[in-house]
Amino acid sequence: VLQHVAMGQYGMVVVSPKDGYPTDNEVDRTYAIVQSEFYLQEGSGELHMMDLEAARAKDPTVVAFNGHTEILNNEPLKAHPGERVRIHLLNAGPSITSSFHVIGAILDRVYYEGHPENEWHGMQTVLLGASNGAVVEFIAPEEGHYTLVNHQFADAARGAKGTLVVAPIE
């Protein structure tokens, strides 16, 4: 199983609660972010192979959002000032923890494991073990670039980072 998940055999399925979330009518933007880690060693040419020993040691080469180290910087999430943003999060693992944080924003609602009864308020960081998920919401406070990051900065340096661009309506 370690090898399968470490090489990308996972995915996110968003299942909304039967009665929805209390803020469904307030959400302006909805996104999905999957954090995953890769344990790679160079193969021939551009081919990379799994480094099983690194995987067993929990020493990833790459920790990525949505399968790429720069995708959420090259193609940032977008919102307008004052909009409510909802992000479905999954830490696909296979082995390390995620400390999801939006620099410059407060997560005013967090539904741990996506369950509306597991509701937290006023969070700065959401701690997710391997295979855990959450639905986070916040108001985009004002214009600017907000960094989405795994606050375990060794993992952010390996790629678990992105950007939310908040700009006025054109």
Side-chain angles (χ1 to χ4, degrees):
V1 174
L2 173 62
Q3 291 174 303
H4 290 212
V5 177
M7 294 306 289
Q9 186 179 355
Y10 54 81
M12 175 190 279
V13 176
V14 175
V15 179
S16 297
K18 181 179 177 182
D19 296 323
Y21 294 103
T23 54
D24 281 347
N25 294 332
E26 302 168 29
V27 173
D28 299 294
R29 307 279 175 162
T30 302
Y31 296 104
I33 297 176
V34 177
Q35 178 181 304
S36 54
E37 66 235 34
F38 298 95
Y39 303 87
L40 305 172
Q41 59 186 347
E42 290 189 24
S44 60
E46 293 185 23
L47 178 67
H48 285 76
M49 299 170 52
M50 181 174 180
D51 184 339
L52 185 56
E53 291 310 309
R56 288 182 177 144
K58 300 181 188 177
D59 185 19
T61 312
V62 172
V63 181
F65 285 164
N66 292 352
H68 301 272
T69 59
E70 291 297 324
I71 193 70
L72 294 182
N73 288 314
N74 296 337
E75 299 176 27
L77 307 182
K78 297 179 180 177
H80 301 300
E83 286 188 329
R84 176 170 287 281
V85 177
R86 176 181 285 167
I87 300 175
H88 298 271
L89 297 172
L90 171 64
N91 178 14
S95 298
I96 63 174
T97 301
S98 175
S99 295
F100 184 79
H101 178 72
V102 180
I103 296 173
I106 297 294
L107 308 173
D108 64 340
R109 304 256 181 156
V110 174
Y111 303 100
Y112 188 69
E113 295 291 11
H115 196 294
E117 291 181 15
N118 297 336
E119 185 176 356
W120 299 334
H121 297 271
M123 304 286 292
Q124 293 184 52
T125 303
V126 178
L127 184 64
L128 299 173
S131 87
N132 286 136
V135 176
V136 303
E137 294 183 7
F138 58 95
I139 303 296
E142 58 186 43
E143 289 182 44
H145 288 71
Y146 295 82
T147 302
L148 313 168
V149 65
N150 178 341
H151 214 280
Q152 297 187 47
F153 281 109
D155 296 331
R158 292 178 174 135
K161 60 188 176 299
T163 305
L164 168 71
V165 175
V166 178
I169 298 172
E170 295 180 10

